[in-house]
Amino acid sequence: MKKSLQALSLSLAAGAMLLSTQALADSKCSLKDGKITVQGTGTMKVMPDEAVLSFSVTEIKDNAAAARNSVEERVTGFITALKPLNLGQNQILADNLTVFPKYSYNEGKSKLEGYSAYRVVKVTVDNLELIPKVTDLALESGINEVAGFEYQVKDLESVKKEAAKLAIKDAKEKAQLLADGFEVKIAHPCDLQFVEAGSIMPYRNRLMMAKVASDNAAVEASYEVQPMTVTTQVNAVFSLK
């Protein structure tokens, strides 16, 4: 019984402390003297340090086994061709093989035309100079679709944190500028929320990749790396005194 009373006493004390803290926060954030609402923006530009290349193989054969084997042969040949580049196992990802029947339809009747097999292979490189080489190896291995590639930044979280710091700094400066301009004083920050605006990453689509494959003179221009932009925003409400 004594332990129960002690537990109840501690619970009541904790509740009282919570209410007291909440009341203190409410008193600091009283908006009776007005408020300032601002949005701060932080932007970081960083050069990508890796690229993810996407390829796919599609084959249509009379039977499922033939379609599957043809696709597997091309994918295996591509992965084998990549070995001299010394890529890690986690840098080459081959998705599950998909096989499905192909039908034609005429006057409400279906006719089996064959079987289609499909598989996607993604290759990640941290040496961006390897992009043309990997693409050439894919085409030489019988890969019949180059889906494009996307530049990335390995440590994107660090870049986002730096953008967030800039957003906070911008919000503070904007709030102070407003306060000084209207000759009022800022009391306390009351409502603070991050709004992640996202990242803008350079992307090269299949048309550009196809052009590179057919026109060696365009290689250097087509694979030119562009900066990636990371933007973060913060909404802030400050009470006045």
Side-chain angles (χ1 to χ4, degrees):
M1 182 67 177
K2 185 176 181 180
K3 289 184 178 180
S4 298
L5 291 174
Q6 288 176 340
L8 178 60
S9 177
L10 288 173
S11 177
L12 291 173
M17 184 179 296
L18 179 62
L19 290 174
S20 176
T21 302
Q22 184 64 46
L24 180 61
D26 290 343
S27 65
K28 285 185 176 182
C29 286
S30 172
L31 302 181
K32 62 182 180 64
D33 295 320
K35 67 178 180 178
I36 287 178
T37 301
V38 295
Q39 183 177 79
T41 302
T43 299
M44 291 285 294
K45 287 191 175 183
V46 60
M47 296 301 292
D49 52 14
E50 69 177 10
V52 179
L53 294 81
S54 298
F55 308 94
S56 63
V57 186
T58 302
E59 281 288 355
I60 300 176
K61 298 290 184 180
D62 291 336
N63 59 76
R68 181 188 66 242
N69 292 339
S70 180
V71 168
E72 290 287 37
E73 181 180 348
R74 295 182 185 220
V75 170
T76 301
F78 179 37
I79 294 175
T80 301
L82 291 172
K83 285 185 177 180
L85 302 183
N86 295 318
L87 301 176
Q89 289 185 348
N90 61 336
Q91 291 180 270
I92 304 173
L93 176 63
D95 289 347
N96 292 333
L97 178 70
T98 301
V99 181
F100 54 90
K102 296 279 290 185
Y103 291 95
S104 62
Y105 295 89
N106 185 23
E107 297 181 353
K109 296 181 179 181
S110 63
K111 178 183 177 182
L112 180 64
E113 297 290 345
Y115 290 83
S116 177
Y118 176 83
R119 195 171 191 186
V120 173
V121 181
K122 293 184 178 181
V123 181
T124 302
V125 295
D126 48 21
N127 179 358
L128 302 183
E129 294 181 357
L130 290 178
I131 294 175
K133 179 65 175 176
V134 172
T135 303
D136 288 343
L137 291 174
L139 297 173
E140 292 168 4
S141 302
I143 301 297
N144 52 23
E145 184 175 353
V146 182
F149 68 93
E150 185 177 17
Y151 289 121
Q152 297 183 163
V153 174
K154 292 179 184 177
D155 192 6
L156 186 57
E157 289 305 313
S158 294
V159 179
K160 288 181 178 180
K161 286 181 181 179
E162 291 303 315
K165 291 178 182 179
L166 292 176
I168 293 171
K169 182 175 181 292
D170 185 47
K172 287 181 177 179
E173 291 176 351
K174 286 179 178 177
Q176 194 60 57
L177 183 63
L178 279 171
D180 293 342
F182 289 96
E183 299 180 347
V184 295
K185 292 187 179 297
I186 294 175
H188 301 282
C190 296
D191 188 7
L192 308 171
Q193 294 181 343
F194 274 120
V195 181
E196 188 174 327
S199 308
I200 301 176
M201 293 181 284
Y203 181 77
R204 298 294 181 267
N205 62 25
R206 71 182 64 184
L207 294 179
M208 179 170 290
M209 297 284 282
K211 181 180 179 182
V212 170
S214 61
D215 184 4
N216 291 331
V219 171
E220 184 175 350
S222 297
Y223 289 110
E224 182 181 355
V225 184
Q226 299 295 327
M228 188 179 96
T229 301
V230 178
T231 300
T232 298
Q233 294 178 326
V234 60
N235 294 330
V237 177
F238 298 87
S239 61
L240 301 178
K241 58 183 178 181

